Amino acid sequence: MENPFVRKMERHVRLAPEDRAILDGLARQHIRHVAGRQDIEGPHTEPYHTHLILDGWACRYKQFPDGRRAIVALLLPGDLCDPFAFRRGRMDHAIGALTPVTVARITPDQIGDAVRGRPAIEEGLCREMLATTAIHREWIASVGRRSAIERLAHLFCELHLRLTWAGLADGTTLPMPVTQPDLADALGQTSVHINRTLKELRSSGLVILRSRRLTIRDLDGLRERGLFDPAYLQPA
Amino acid sequence: MENPFVRKMERHVRLAPEDRAILDGLARQHIRHVAGRQDIEGPHTEPYHTHLILDGWACRYKQFPDGRRAIVALLLPGDLCDPFAFRRGRMDHAIGALTPVTVARITPDQIGDAVRGRPAIEEGLCREMLATTAIHREWIASVGRRSAIERLAHLFCELHLRLTWAGLADGTTLPMPVTQPDLADALGQTSVHINRTLKELRSSGLVILRSRRLTIRDLDGLRERGLFDPAYLQPA
DNA sequence: TTGGCAAACTAACACAGGTTGGCGCGCGTT
DNA sequence: AACGCGCGCCAACCTGTGTTAGTTTGCCAA
C-alpha cells in the first residue's frame, strides 16, 4: 500500500527517489490516533505541528456560539494541514476527525529540512497549497450559486478525483465514511435535505450510497448535474 | 498618500526602509488601467503576471454556463492577486474589475528578486497568503451557515477592517463602490434580497449606505449581528 | 433643461429548502 | 435478549429567499 501523500505529490511534480524517501519518512514518524468526533487541533490553539492525514477523514470547521457548524474543508488521507500554520498564531477554526483518524505530526523544522535543496519538493508543496486554495474557491461558488443537487453532485465528483489521485478509489467506487449531518454542514444545508437530495440522485440512477461506500453509476451524468469541471483540481 | 500595499504589509512584519522601497517600487512600474466591468485576467488564460491593485475594486469570480456568477473574493487596493499564479497553468476563474481599476503588473522575476535575501518580505508575503486563505474559509462559513442579514453584516465588518488597514477608511465610514447585484453574487443571494436586507440593517440603525459610501453607525451592534470575530483577519 | 439609462427600490407571488417530529434499523453494550 | 442510541429515512408544514415585473431615483450627456 503506497503512501497517499507521496502519490498525490507525484501528480504535481516528478520526484527523485530521494525526494520520495524524504516525503515517505515524514509519514512514518510521530504517528497519532484520534477517535472519531474528536478534535485534532482545537479552535483558538496556537498550533506548532503540521498534521498529515494517513487514514480516515477529517475536516476544518467553524462553530458559531449558537452551535451551528460550518465545515469549510474536507481532509482526506494524503492531505497536509497548514504547512505554515505556525506562522499565524492562534487558530481561527478547528480541525476535527469525522472518522477515527491516523495522522503524522510534523514539525516546522522537518518541513524546512525536506524543502531545503530539494526544489521538486518545494514546488510540489507550493502547488499543493495552490490546489487547496482552488478547492476553497470552488466551494464558495458551490455554496453560493449551486442548487442542492448540483452541490452534492459536485462534491461527489470532487471527492472522486481526490480519492482516485490518493489511490483510494476503486474505479468509480469510493469510501464515503461521513454521516448525512456531516455532508449537510459541508454543503450549507440540513441533513433532512441532504437525505432528500440523495434520494433524488439515487433515483436518477447517478449514484448508489450504501454502507459508507459511494458508487458512481454515471460519471458523465453526475458531472453534468453538478456543473463539474475538473480544471480547478488539475495541477498545471 | 501612502501605498496601501506597503501599509498592509507592515501589519504583518516590521519592514526595513529598503524593504519598503522595494515593495513601493513594485507598485510604481507597469501601471495599467482597466475600465469597470472589464476582465483584468480572463477565465482559462495562462497567467504570467501578478497584479497589484492600486485603486478601485475588483473580484475573483466564476461564471457558470447558464450565466450565474459567483464572486469568490473581493480585491481591494493593496491586494496582490496570486503571487504564484504562473505556477498553476490555466486559470480556473476570472478576475474582473467591479469599478474602474488601476493595477501594477508584476512579473514572477520581480517577486523572486524582491524576496531574495529579504526575509521580512518573504515572511510578509507568506502571511498575506495565509490571511487570504483565512478569508476564503470565513466566506465558506458565511455562505454556508449565516443568514442573509448576518452575511451582509459580516461582510461589512470584514471590509471595514481590510480598508482600515489599507488606509482607505475614514474612521467608521468606508467606500462601497459596488452595486447590489455585485453584493448579491458575493453573498450567494439575489439583488432583490440584498436590497431588503440592506433596508433592515438601515432601519435597525446599524449602517447607512448612500452614494457609494458606507457609514457604520453602530460597530459593536453590526459585529454582533454578523457574528463577526476579527480573529481570522489578525496576523499572528 | 431634457432624455436616456443604470441602479435602487418595491410589491406579489412562488418555491427550495428548513423545521419538527416520528419511525425503524443496525450495532455495540450489558 | 434487551436496551440505548446514532443514523437513515420520511411526511407535513413553514418560511426565508428567489422570481418577476414593475416604478422611482440619480446621474451623465447632449
Side-chain angles (χ1 to χ4, degrees):
Chain A
M1 182 60 149
E2 207 194 356
N3 181 330
F5 174 50
V6 175
R7 185 147 178 173
K8 215 172 39 135
M9 287 290 276
E10 286 190 292
R11 278 198 55 84
H12 295 301
V13 287
R14 176 172 301 282
L15 295 175
E18 308 88 62
D19 293 326
R20 225 170 291 139
I22 289 173
L23 293 179
D24 200 58
L26 291 179
R28 300 199 177 282
Q29 291 179 316
H30 304 296
I31 305 298
R32 183 177 150 209
H33 294 274
V34 180
R37 316 269 133 204
Q38 295 302 306
D39 278 352
I40 295 172
E41 187 78 55
H44 317 308
T45 58
E46 292 194 15
Y48 174 68
H49 293 282
T50 295
H51 297 276
L52 169 59
I53 313 279
L54 298 173
D55 189 53
W57 288 25
C59 68
R60 291 178 196 284
Y61 70 94
K62 298 207 170 210
Q63 192 130 23
F64 295 140
D66 62 5
R68 277 178 284 178
R69 178 180 70 153
I71 290 180
V72 301
L74 286 176
L75 301 169
L76 312 180
D79 282 347
L80 198 60
C81 322
D82 303 302
F84 301 112
F86 64 93
R87 300 207 192 207
R88 264 221 111 213
R90 207 163 290 279
M91 292 277 287
D92 64 312
H93 63 286
I95 300 181
L98 293 173
T99 70
V101 152
T102 310
V103 298
R105 269 186 306 142
I106 300 176
T107 63
D109 293 346
Q110 286 178 299
I111 300 267
D113 291 346
V115 165
R116 198 179 348 275
R118 299 258 132 217
I121 292 182
E122 185 174 18
E123 176 81 9
L125 281 181
C126 181
R127 295 216 183 187
E128 177 65 14
M129 285 181 63
L130 293 174
T132 302
T133 304
I135 292 174
H136 282 153
R137 283 191 296 258
E138 194 65 46
W139 279 40
I140 296 174
S142 227
V143 182
R145 283 290 178 242
R146 273 185 253 257
S147 71
I149 318 189
E150 289 167 351
R151 254 180 256 186
L152 193 52
H154 189 276
L155 180 66
F156 286 159
C157 293
E158 178 184 307
L159 292 174
H160 172 233
L161 278 190
R162 287 173 63 189
L163 289 166
T164 297
W165 292 340
L168 295 167
D170 172 12
T172 189
T173 293
L174 18 145
M176 186 65 55
V178 294
T179 66
Q180 294 182 8
D182 291 334
L183 287 175
D185 285 340
L187 296 178
Q189 295 180 281
T190 57
S191 60
V192 175
H193 202 60
I194 292 290
N195 190 286
R196 284 195 275 249
T197 307
L198 224 30
K199 189 162 95 175
E200 197 171 339
L201 279 182
R202 198 184 303 131
S203 66
S204 2
L206 294 173
V207 304
I208 300 171
L209 177 54
R210 212 179 41 210
S211 59
R212 323 258 106 155
R213 293 192 70 74
L214 178 80
T215 299
I216 300 176
R217 296 194 52 196
D218 174 1
L219 183 55
D220 288 344
L222 191 67
R223 289 185 166 185
E224 196 174 337
R225 206 74 191 71
L227 299 162
F228 180 80
D229 174 356
Y232 74 102
L233 288 173
Q234 307 283 7
Chain B
M1 184 59 146
E2 207 194 357
N3 182 330
F5 174 50
V6 176
R7 185 147 177 173
K8 215 171 39 134
M9 287 289 277
E10 286 191 293
R11 277 198 56 83
H12 296 302
V13 287
R14 176 171 300 282
L15 295 175
E18 307 88 62
D19 292 326
R20 224 170 291 140
I22 289 173
L23 294 180
D24 200 58
L26 291 178
R28 301 199 177 282
Q29 291 180 315
H30 305 294
I31 304 300
R32 183 177 150 211
H33 294 273
V34 180
R37 315 269 134 203
Q38 296 300 307
D39 277 351
I40 295 173
E41 186 79 55
H44 317 305
T45 58
E46 293 194 13
Y48 175 69
H49 293 284
T50 296
H51 297 276
L52 170 59
I53 312 279
L54 297 173
D55 190 53
W57 288 25
C59 68
R60 292 177 196 286
Y61 70 95
K62 298 207 170 212
Q63 193 130 23
F64 296 139
D66 63 5
R68 277 177 283 178
R69 178 180 70 153
I71 290 180
V72 301
L74 286 176
L75 301 169
L76 312 180
D79 282 347
L80 199 58
C81 322
D82 302 303
F84 302 112
F86 64 94
R87 300 209 192 206
R88 265 220 111 214
R90 209 163 289 280
M91 292 278 289
D92 64 311
H93 64 285
I95 300 181
L98 293 172
T99 70
V101 152
T102 310
V103 297
R105 270 187 306 142
I106 301 177
T107 63
D109 294 345
Q110 286 178 299
I111 300 268
D113 291 346
V115 164
R116 198 177 350 274
R118 297 259 133 216
I121 292 181
E122 184 174 18
E123 176 83 8
L125 281 181
C126 180
R127 297 216 180 187
E128 177 65 15
M129 286 181 62
L130 293 174
T132 302
T133 304
I135 291 173
H136 282 153
R137 283 192 297 259
E138 193 65 45
W139 279 40
I140 296 174
S142 226
V143 181
R145 283 289 178 243
R146 272 184 256 257
S147 71
I149 318 188
E150 288 166 352
R151 255 181 255 186
L152 192 54
H154 189 276
L155 179 67
F156 285 161
C157 292
E158 177 183 308
L159 292 174
H160 171 234
L161 278 191
R162 288 172 63 189
L163 289 167
T164 297
W165 292 340
L168 295 167
D170 172 11
T172 189
T173 293
L174 19 145
M176 186 66 54
V178 294
T179 67
Q180 293 182 8
D182 291 334
L183 288 174
D185 285 341
L187 296 178
Q189 295 180 280
T190 58
S191 60
V192 175
H193 202 60
I194 291 290
N195 191 287
R196 285 196 273 251
T197 307
L198 223 31
K199 190 162 95 175
E200 197 171 339
L201 279 181
R202 198 183 303 129
S203 66
S204 359
L206 294 173
V207 304
I208 300 171
L209 176 55
R210 212 177 41 209
S211 59
R212 323 257 106 157
R213 296 191 68 74
L214 177 80
T215 299
I216 301 176
R217 295 194 51 197
D218 174 1
L219 183 55
D220 289 342
L222 190 66
R223 290 186 165 184
E224 195 174 339
R225 206 75 191 72
L227 300 162
F228 180 80
D229 175 357
Y232 75 101
L233 288 172
Q234 307 283 6

